Amino acid sequence: MAPLREVMVAMRAAFCENIWLLMLLLSTALAAPFAAGETALCKNTTCGGVDIPYPFGISTESCAMGSGFDVDCTDTGNGVYKPFYGDVELLGIDIQRGQARVNNHISSSCYDAISKGMNSTEWFLNLTDTPFMLSDSNKFTVVGCRTLAYIADQDYVGKYMSGCVSGCRRGDVSKAMNGICSGIGCCQTAIPKGLDYYQVFFDVSSMNTSGIYNRTPCSYAVLMDSSNFTFSTTYLTSLEFNSTNDGQAPMVLDWAIRSANTCEEAQKKNDSYACKSTNSECFNSTNGSGYICNCSKGYEGNPYLQGSNGCRDIDECLYSKTYPCYGKCRNKPGDFDCTCQAGSKGNATIPGGCRKDFLPLKARLGIGNVVCVLAGLFGFLGWEVIRHKRSMKKQALLRQTDEFFQQHGGQLLLEMMKVEGNAGFNLYDRQEIETATNNFNKAHIVGEGGQGTVYRAVLGGVAVAIKMCKEIDESRKMEFVQELVILCRVNHPNIVKLLGCCLQFEAPILVYEFVQNKTLQELMDLQRSRRFYVTLGTRLRIAAESAGALAHLHSLPHPVLHGDVKPANILLAEGLVAKVSDFGCSTIDENTQAVPKGTPGYIDPDYLLEYELTAKNDIYSFGVILVELLTGMKPLSKERKSLTSLFLEAMADGTVRELLDSDIVDEACMRVIHRAAVLASQCLVVPGMARPTMALVAEELKYLALADEVHQCPQPPFVLEGMSFMDMGSTVSIWYDESRTSGVYSLENKAVLSTEFSR
Ligand SMILES: *[C@@H]1O[C@H](CO)[C@@H](O)[C@H](O)[C@H]1NC(C)=O
Ligand SMILES: *[C@@H]1O[C@H](CO)[C@@H](O)[C@H](O)[C@H]1NC(C)=O
Ligand SMILES: *[C@@H]1O[C@H](CO)[C@@H](O)[C@H](O)[C@H]1NC(C)=O
Ligand SMILES: *[C@@H]1O[C@H](CO)[C@@H](O)[C@H](O)[C@H]1NC(C)=O
Ligand SMILES: *[C@@H]1O[C@H](CO)[C@@H](O)[C@H](O)[C@H]1NC(C)=O
Ligand SMILES: *[C@@H]1O[C@H](CO)[C@@H](O)[C@H](O)[C@H]1NC(C)=O
Ligand SMILES: *[C@@H]1O[C@H](CO)[C@@H](O)[C@H](O)[C@H]1NC(C)=O
Ligand SMILES: *[C@@H]1O[C@H](CO)[C@@H](O)[C@H](O)[C@H]1NC(C)=O
Ligand SMILES: *[C@@H]1O[C@H](CO)[C@@H](O)[C@H](O)[C@H]1NC(C)=O
Ligand SMILES: *[C@@H]1O[C@H](CO)[C@@H](O)[C@H](O)[C@H]1NC(C)=O
Ligand SMILES: *[C@@H]1O[C@H](CO)[C@@H](O)[C@H](O)[C@H]1NC(C)=O
Ligand SMILES: *[C@@H]1O[C@H](CO)[C@@H](O)[C@H](O)[C@H]1NC(C)=O
């Protein structure tokens, strides 16, 4: 016995020695190329109770992956240390998801009774060239009773700007409700992915809170993680929103390793590839370029570190709650086996899943037969049930289609058509619309406006634009239908023709003639970037035509208010003929305070205070367009006051000439320009009662556009306007493609979408 034992001991020793040798060899071999990674290990990885895991590190230790990952551990007084990234406090870092929580500063705007001005604190955060980006899970949250706040990207190079309007009808705080943040006292808007710059500014020139400051002292705006946010009406009447968390609100940032754009690119560069751990995987960042690392399935730890600090196997058998096993559990690298005890069979991962196997063969055969017969029976029954259900579903759809039709006043419409004749009006079928738009296929979308989505389609051989309204108000059914019938009879050269509607969907669908989708907005953008020259005559003509169209809508027996007058809604047909579009869905119900839409820069401040759409609101918006045509400037910019304030001040000071577009200023036509400027200022007067009617505006503009002087103005060297619109179309589209990236388009679109809010 003794010699045998000795041999075994010797063998074991030899084996162990070899293992050590092997491991030594392996570790030196592995360690060599990664020496840099090893030294990066931080000794102190917490600050003020917050874990700062690698690739992050505390700046004084210089152990982070790069300077972008340095976190400052700062004494905030009384020896209380807190981690800071730039000037924002870090609340936590999530290695697995590539996210971090920080405290964002709340921007505020308060009325100062002493200086009789608005005292605003507007924060910004510049994350350019850092591993961080603003996560699109945050919401831009605005609290206030007369507040229009903007969130924007960097000036000049940024691509994004959006606004959020919060109001209380006539400053009445009691209209706001706890827990509801949808425009009354509180509003929220989403932000796009990939932003790395954040700035806030308030529109204090049109939102003067001097009248309500004793009830609502301050307005606030902050980009914050809204998952835990519940609006309280006391936020309006006290300083609570700001003071609860010391002027800050939690926000989520996404971070990633941004030294390479994708995983593949990073893996090519061995030494800088950040996923050092053996059992780690690389994920492309979905939020901007770069990548993040994660442990492979069944492993946990820090994927950015090697060895024992990196990804380790999870012993699943120790965590029976997360990895249930009701039999024999055995851990494997990256996985585990869970089997039934000997003598039983089944699925051991479900309770009672293991059964002793005792049935004899004969019984099993018998059971098999019975099961077969039953299965056949059930199969047949099931098929019948499915057939029945299908026919039920079809009937339900038909019933629903009919319900929608009734709900949207279809019956009313039919009766009206019987009485008044259906000249020019078409009632389209659900099927017809679905086929034409290929079931509302995204490829058919030509625009998304404040009132709904517009699709392009061909119906009965005619190109049409199909627009799905947002839901209409039950109580306005009658008016809506009347308006439709009236609009269909409108045959005005400067109004996009309404061909008919379909009432068999959740929301009414309007069908318009299709007009080339070049808009006044695009034309002005080309003019601003000096790639197209629009003469004074053309500007006045487009203004006159648009005004004429709006005047016509206002003068109908049942007046139609547009509600969203802006350059993007003035289409330009062949020969730059203006055609006003995007009307018809507009519904506003006084009792429910439904606010249909509006675009920052063009919204009448009166409307924001009263929440009531009147003809005067359209006139204000039109006034802004007129100013835009005269000055060539955009209505909003971060660097300056709103265009309307600038313009009105310049009119008052008599310095308006400095503001005018130098392309149209000429002594020969100064009289006309001056009259147009006076007209514009009349349209912008607050309160709205003093504004001229649309008909007067149209008449004056028509006179000005035809004035002799206008045609005597010298023409510039490049007059492209002489070309036919189709020629221009091809030229414009080339220009337009490059101008798309300028962000003007996205700004416009996003601003529209976010300032509308439902009740
Ligand atoms: C880590 O740093 C914090 C703050 O600088 C300090 O309070 C703590 O004692 C340090 N811990 C160790 C282990 O050095
Ligand atoms: C990383 O792994 C963890 C745990 O398996 C998981 O919760 C997380 O969603 C993963 N992250 C990504 C970006 O896949
Ligand atoms: C704004 O508030 C700050 C601090 O409360 C004060 O110092 C400043 O004078 C105020 N500015 C105006 C214009 O009221
Ligand atoms: C933001 O930071 C980047 C990089 O540090 C810098 O180039 C840029 O000018 C900054 N932007 C502003 C508006 O300060
Ligand atoms: C706000 O309105 C008050 C009273 O109407 C006026 O005195 C004050 O100048 C206005 N402030 C601004 C910034 O427009
Ligand atoms: C949400 O709020 C509750 C209570 O204030 C808090 O316990 C919880 O940690 C918060 N959750 C997040 C994700 O901030
Ligand atoms: C918001 O809170 C911060 C920090 O407490 C404070 O400095 C700031 O003055 C407050 N702002 C307002 C408008 O109360
Ligand atoms: C990167 O490392 C892998 C294994 O770690 C090796 O096979 C490959 O040759 C290396 N590539 C380069 C470019 O160094
Ligand atoms: C990362 O993105 C690139 C380019 O978009 C793609 O080719 C690659 O398959 C992606 N890799 C992973 C791991 O998702
Ligand atoms: C991207 O952002 C979303 C939402 O903000 C987040 O859930 C996701 O984990 C992020 N993905 C990566 C790879 O950073
Ligand atoms: C056992 O049951 C679990 C949970 O229902 C299921 O996910 C797993 O696939 C089953 N395993 C086998 C071998 O059927
Ligand atoms: C204009 O219409 C064309 C197709 O007719 C479409 O490709 C383009 O995206 C549209 N442009 C806008 C701004 O809607």
Side-chain angles (χ1 to χ4, degrees):
M1 290 299 275
L4 186 62
R5 191 185 290 152
E6 264 174 36
V7 169
M8 278 184 69
V9 168
M11 270 175 71
R12 199 181 289 162
F15 181 67
C16 289
E17 259 173 41
N18 279 338
I19 280 273
W20 278 118
L21 211 74
L22 208 75
M23 279 174 71
L24 211 77
L25 274 173
L26 262 176
S27 62
T28 46
L30 280 175
F34 291 124
E38 292 283 20
T39 54
L41 255 180
C42 300
K43 285 184 212 77
N44 191 348
T45 61
T46 59
C47 174
V50 178
D51 199 22
I52 314 288
Y54 192 75
F56 292 89
I58 291 164
S59 51
T60 50
E61 306 221 344
S62 342
C63 62
M65 183 182 279
S67 58
F69 290 95
D70 270 336
V71 172
D72 299 319
C73 196
T74 315
D75 188 347
T76 55
N78 309 329
V80 178
Y81 280 86
K82 281 184 179 171
F84 280 88
Y85 192 83
D87 66 346
V88 293
E89 185 190 339
L90 260 175
L91 302 172
I93 295 172
D94 185 338
I95 285 280
Q96 266 81 37
R97 286 195 289 185
Q99 291 189 325
R101 283 178 76 78
V102 298
N103 255 339
N104 192 12
H105 297 283
I106 296 175
S107 299
S108 61
S109 172
C110 308
Y111 183 76
D112 183 20
I114 298 160
S115 70
K116 290 205 168 47
M118 300 300 289
N119 199 347
S120 302
T121 315
E122 296 167 337
W123 289 98
F124 76 96
L125 182 61
N126 188 357
L127 296 172
T128 319
D129 299 334
T130 73
F132 291 101
M133 277 191 181
L134 302 166
S135 167
D136 63 341
S137 63
N138 297 301
K139 292 260 167 66
F140 184 54
T141 306
V142 173
V143 170
C145 256
R146 197 170 280 181
T147 312
L148 174 51
Y150 294 98
I151 174 173
D153 205 345
Q154 292 192 57
D155 303 332
Y156 306 117
V157 293
K159 296 188 177 57
Y160 171 75
M161 181 162 104
S162 182
C164 210
V165 179
S166 166
C168 309
R169 204 175 194 196
R170 299 187 184 98
D172 183 359
V173 182
S174 66
K175 287 285 193 296
M177 273 181 284
N178 282 327
I180 296 177
C181 187
S182 61
I184 300 184
C186 174
C187 82
Q188 282 186 323
T189 180
I191 63 161
K193 273 188 198 300
L195 284 188
D196 57 10
Y197 190 92
Y198 158 83
Q199 65 176 340
V200 171
F201 55 102
F202 293 93
D203 182 349
V204 291
S205 52
S206 54
M207 298 282 117
N208 187 341
T209 58
S210 60
I212 56 167
Y213 86 96
N214 49 1
R215 276 166 292 162
T216 319
C218 290
S219 302
Y220 305 101
V222 63
L223 182 68
M224 66 183 291
D225 175 18
S226 59
S227 55
N228 229 0
F229 172 75
T230 33
F231 172 66
S232 158
T233 53
T234 53
Y235 291 170
L236 295 172
T237 52
S238 69
L239 302 177
E240 188 184 333
F241 181 63
N242 183 62
S243 58
T244 306
N245 194 15
D246 208 20
Q248 303 176 96
M251 169 169 75
V252 179
L253 298 179
D254 290 326
W255 58 267
I257 314 292
R258 309 219 189 260
S259 57
N261 288 322
T262 63
C263 288
E264 283 67 21
E265 200 182 310
Q267 276 152 357
K268 281 198 198 116
K269 299 185 251 172
N270 265 350
D271 45 345
S272 69
Y273 182 48
C275 308
K276 300 277 191 218
S277 180
T278 329
N279 294 301
S280 65
E281 280 169 41
C282 181
F283 293 86
N284 283 341
S285 168
T286 55
N287 315 307
S289 72
Y291 63 99
I292 62 170
C293 307
N294 207 355
C295 288
S296 311
K297 196 171 162 284
Y299 291 85
E300 65 184 356
N302 188 331
Y304 299 94
L305 293 174
Q306 289 174 267
S308 59
N309 292 308
C311 299
R312 293 173 306 268
D313 176 41
I314 302 173
D315 188 350
E316 288 87 352
C317 298
L318 299 179
Y319 305 101
S320 56
K321 278 224 176 77
T322 349
Y323 307 97
C325 182
Y326 303 91
K328 244 186 352 203
C329 183
R330 201 165 54 85
N331 185 34
K332 287 198 299 190
D335 204 1
F336 70 111
D337 280 333
C338 179
T339 50
C340 291
Q341 304 287 355
S344 59
K345 267 193 178 150
N347 190 341
T349 58
I350 44 181
C354 291
R355 290 259 152 73
K356 277 219 170 84
D357 193 14
F358 58 85
L359 280 177
L361 190 66
K362 254 190 188 166
R364 262 192 258 169
L365 272 179
I367 289 172
N369 281 341
V370 171
V371 166
C372 268
V373 170
L374 280 179
L377 210 71
F378 276 118
F380 177 71
L381 278 178
W383 188 61
E384 280 294 308
V385 166
I386 286 172
R387 255 186 25 170
H388 182 66
K389 269 206 172 145
R390 262 196 209 145
S391 80
M392 292 284 284
K393 218 173 173 180
K394 217 172 188 172
Q395 278 175 11
L397 186 70
L398 279 178
R399 253 206 314 277
Q400 200 187 25
T401 307
D402 200 41
E403 254 169 45
F404 286 141
F405 185 75
Q406 300 294 350
Q407 196 182 321
H408 301 326
Q411 204 56 45
L412 217 66
L413 188 62
L414 283 181
E415 277 160 26
M416 215 178 280
M417 280 163 71
K418 232 185 266 162
V419 178
E420 312 191 8
N422 64 345
F425 192 85
N426 299 299
L427 207 48
Y428 295 94
D429 204 42
R430 183 179 175 125
Q431 198 95 51
E432 218 177 333
I433 301 274
E434 274 174 351
T435 318
T437 57
N438 204 351
N439 255 323
F440 298 100
N441 194 310
K442 274 201 182 125
H444 284 258
I445 295 183
V446 289
E448 257 163 299
Q451 300 179 326
T453 312
V454 184
Y455 298 83
R456 191 196 170 154
V458 176
L459 272 177
V462 183
V464 295
I466 292 182
K467 177 159 165 190
M468 191 179 240
C469 295
K470 302 209 161 140
E471 279 183 59
I472 64 156
D473 205 287
E474 185 69 13
S475 61
R476 274 199 82 252
K477 197 160 67 182
M478 179 82 184
E479 285 166 67
F480 178 71
V481 166
Q482 270 175 354
E483 244 171 62
L484 277 189
V485 173
I486 294 166
L487 280 174
C488 278
R489 299 231 182 86
V490 169
N491 220 339
H492 190 283
N494 303 118
I495 296 179
V496 174
K497 179 124 185 67
L498 182 64
L499 301 172
C501 68
C502 173
L503 300 176
Q504 296 171 330
F505 289 90
E506 306 84 282
I509 293 217
L510 303 186
V511 179
Y512 299 89
E513 71 172 313
F514 185 82
V515 177
Q516 274 282 25
N517 59 353
K518 302 278 180 291
T519 65
L520 182 56
Q521 170 81 42
E522 289 164 32
L523 190 70
M524 286 313 289
D525 285 343
L526 289 175
Q527 162 76 37
R528 273 190 272 266
S529 54
R530 305 249 170 259
R531 282 177 294 180
F532 197 79
Y533 182 87
V534 193
T535 59
L536 175 66
T538 304
R539 294 184 201 201
L540 289 175
R541 183 178 49 73
I542 291 175
E545 286 170 352
S546 315
L550 290 171
H552 187 77
L553 289 175
H554 287 182
S555 71
L556 292 172
H558 187 282
V560 173
L561 303 178
H562 191 294
D564 195 11
V565 177
K566 59 176 171 176
N569 281 339
I570 296 177
L571 306 182
L572 297 173
E574 192 148 357
L576 295 182
V577 170
K579 278 185 182 271
V580 172
S581 78
D582 210 28
F583 52 85
C585 288
S586 121
T587 65
I588 174 154
D589 183 24
E590 255 208 75
N591 305 322
T592 52
Q593 298 189 347
V595 178
K597 71 244 143 173
T599 304
Y602 301 94
I603 318 176
D604 184 358
D606 250 15
Y607 168 61
L608 288 171
L609 303 187
E610 301 293 330
Y611 278 29
E612 260 174 282
L613 193 61
T614 67
K616 299 295 177 195
N617 301 138
D618 282 353
I619 294 165
Y620 180 91
S621 307
F622 182 79
V624 180
I625 297 184
L626 201 49
V627 175
E628 215 180 323
L629 284 168
L630 291 175
T631 62
M633 288 155 87
K634 286 192 201 171
L636 282 175
S637 164
K638 163 73 176 143
E639 290 83 50
R640 51 163 169 82
K641 292 187 194 171
S642 71
L643 178 57
T644 51
S645 329
L646 274 186
F647 179 76
L648 289 177
E649 279 166 23
M651 283 299 282
D653 302 348
T655 56
V656 75
R657 196 174 168 144
E658 286 153 32
L659 226 54
L660 295 175
D661 188 348
S662 57
D663 279 357
I664 56 164
V665 173
D666 188 89
E667 284 316 322
C669 39
M670 256 349 259
R671 187 190 68 97
V672 169
I673 294 180
H674 184 70
R675 276 184 70 165
V678 170
L679 183 65
S681 67
Q682 286 166 350
C683 293
L684 298 174
V685 167
V686 174
M689 298 309 289
R691 293 173 200 159
T693 64
M694 210 67 228
L696 274 175
V697 174
E699 203 175 306
E700 167 88 357
L701 280 171
K702 198 169 162 195
Y703 164 76
L704 292 178
L706 293 174
D708 285 340
E709 297 113 286
V710 171
H711 303 285
Q712 283 155 12
C713 289
Q715 302 289 316
F718 310 104
V719 185
L720 294 174
E721 282 175 84
M723 298 160 76
S724 85
F725 186 64
M726 285 309 151
D727 292 341
M728 182 194 124
S730 58
T731 339
V732 169
S733 62
I734 300 164
W735 288 335
Y736 187 63
D737 278 347
E738 35 178 297
S739 70
R740 272 205 110 122
T741 50
S742 74
V744 175
Y745 184 71
S746 65
L747 180 155
E748 186 58 45
N749 248 358
K750 276 165 191 144
V752 181
L753 292 176
S754 44
T755 43
E756 25 156 316
F757 38 84
S758 49
R759 27 193 155 129

